[in-house]
């Protein structure tokens, strides 16, 4: 059952949308932690997002930009504002479509089905999913997942970018500066400790898969994937 995530601070509207999408065979995920929409999105992994603009803490534009850093999931903005600039802002901040309140549920469903077809169905570009593999270790960058044997661990975008560099460059070294440039566009606000913290998290993800000492620090240069499990039964 495909999941539709609904981010709407008016609970009645959210539940109304949820009941309607479920009527048409989808599973509704109604967000309630408006301070951490990205966390809910990562846990739910929805096929489409219905996103209100006016939200507590941060607006819908902000959350759409955060989601766009790690997902191409279709986003349909919902707003009581009918001005052209609101629609322009929605599209400029990563949205795919725009619905104004009050809305007719059949229009909402038509737009949902249209976006799902474009992203995953008959109109979708037939792009083969990327996967990087080294000695049975599989990284799925688009899914933000790392797998080994029968274990899978979820990754953040930064962790995925670092692991992608490690696997792509193996057995060569991934330089510290190269990693910083890959992960952060603006170097001015990144200190040396930032990469160290992220590398510690990467090591922890390997350990969750039962892989110890999987990252080797090359003094003065950077980091290298250290395949300690070579020869194990996979």
């Amino acid at each position: 059952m495909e999941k539709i995530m609904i981010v709407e601070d008016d609970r009645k509207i959210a539940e109304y949308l949820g009941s309607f999408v479920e009527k048409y065979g989808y599973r509704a995920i109604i967000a309630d932690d408006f301070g951490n929409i990205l966390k809910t999105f990562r846990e739910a992994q929805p096929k489409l997002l219905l996103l209100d603009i006016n939200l507590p803490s941060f607006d819908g534009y902000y959350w759409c930009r955060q989601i766009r850093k790690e997902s191409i999931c279709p986003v349909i903005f919902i707003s009581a504002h009918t001005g052209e600039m609101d629609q322009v802002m929605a599209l400029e901040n990563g949205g795919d479509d725009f619905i104004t309140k009050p809305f007719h549920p059949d229009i909402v469903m038509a737009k949902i089905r249209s976006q799902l077809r474009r992203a995953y169905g008959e109109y979708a570009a037939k792009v083969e999913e990327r996967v990087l593999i080294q000695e049975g270790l599989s990284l799925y960058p688009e899914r933000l997942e790392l797998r080994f044997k029968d274990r899978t661990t979820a990754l953040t975008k930064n962790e995925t970018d670092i692991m992608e560099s490690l696997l792509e460059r193996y057995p060569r070294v991934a330089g510290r500066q190269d990693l910083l440039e890959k992960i952060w566009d603006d170097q001015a606000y990144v200190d040396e400790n930032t990469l160290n913290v992220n590398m510690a998290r990467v090591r922890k993800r390997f350990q969750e898969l039962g892989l110890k000492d999987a990252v080797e620090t090359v003094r003065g240069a950077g980091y290298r994937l250290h395949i300690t499990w070579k020869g194990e039964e996979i």
Side-chain angles (χ1 to χ4, degrees), residues 26-203:
Y26 301 100
R27 179 184 171 193
I29 306 295
I30 299 177
D32 52 19
D33 183 0
F34 296 104
N36 205 344
I37 297 299
L38 191 58
K39 178 176 181 291
T40 305
F41 179 86
R42 287 171 175 162
E43 291 173 350
Q45 292 293 302
K47 290 293 187 180
L48 182 140
L49 178 65
L50 295 175
L51 179 62
D52 191 17
I53 293 177
N54 293 324
L55 296 169
S57 302
F58 301 99
D59 62 23
Y61 301 139
Y62 170 83
W63 289 118
C64 190
R65 292 195 302 272
Q66 302 312 304
I67 288 168
R68 280 290 171 260
K69 292 179 181 178
E70 55 188 73
S71 175
I72 59 171
C73 166
V75 176
I76 300 177
F77 276 100
I78 299 176
S79 176
H81 299 291
T82 59
E84 292 181 357
M85 186 51 64
D86 294 292
Q87 298 186 44
V88 170
M89 288 287 291
L91 298 175
E92 290 289 338
N93 281 277
D96 297 286
D97 207 340
F98 191 94
I99 297 173
T100 57
K101 301 175 185 176
F103 50 79
H104 194 289
D106 287 333
I107 298 296
V108 176
M109 287 310 308
K111 287 179 176 285
I112 286 175
R113 288 194 293 262
S114 174
Q115 291 298 330
L116 290 175
R117 285 196 303 269
R118 289 179 182 276
Y120 315 106
E122 58 192 288
Y123 304 137
K126 305 303 180 185
V127 179
E128 191 171 322
E129 182 179 15
R130 286 196 310 131
V131 56
L132 285 75
I133 301 174
Q134 290 289 354
E135 294 293 333
L137 177 71
S138 302
L139 174 68
Y140 295 83
E142 284 83 9
R143 302 187 198 183
L144 303 182
E145 287 183 356
L146 186 69
R147 296 180 184 178
F148 183 71
K149 295 185 179 180
D150 59 346
R151 296 185 183 181
T152 300
T153 187
L155 309 172
T156 65
K157 182 64 166 59
N158 282 358
E159 291 164 359
T160 301
D161 287 340
I162 290 173
M163 289 188 177
E164 187 172 352
S165 292
L166 292 173
L167 269 70
E168 283 181 338
R169 296 190 64 82
Y170 177 81
R172 296 169 295 160
V173 174
R176 291 182 64 89
Q177 191 63 30
D178 292 336
L179 290 172
L180 287 170
E181 290 176 359
K182 183 177 180 66
I183 301 170
W184 293 279
D185 295 330
D186 190 349
Q187 300 282 307
Y189 299 98
V190 179
D191 58 28
E192 277 294 297
N193 192 52
T194 304
L195 183 57
N196 295 338
V197 170
N198 277 271
M199 291 306 303
R201 292 172 179 164
V202 165
R203 287 187 167 97

Side-chain angles (χ1 to χ4, degrees), residues 6 13-24 26 28 30:
I6 300 167
I13 294 178
E15 290 178 351
Y16 175 65
L17 284 168
S19 64
F20 204 80
V21 300
E22 290 190 344
K23 174 183 174 182
Y24 281 84
Y26 301 100
I30 299 177

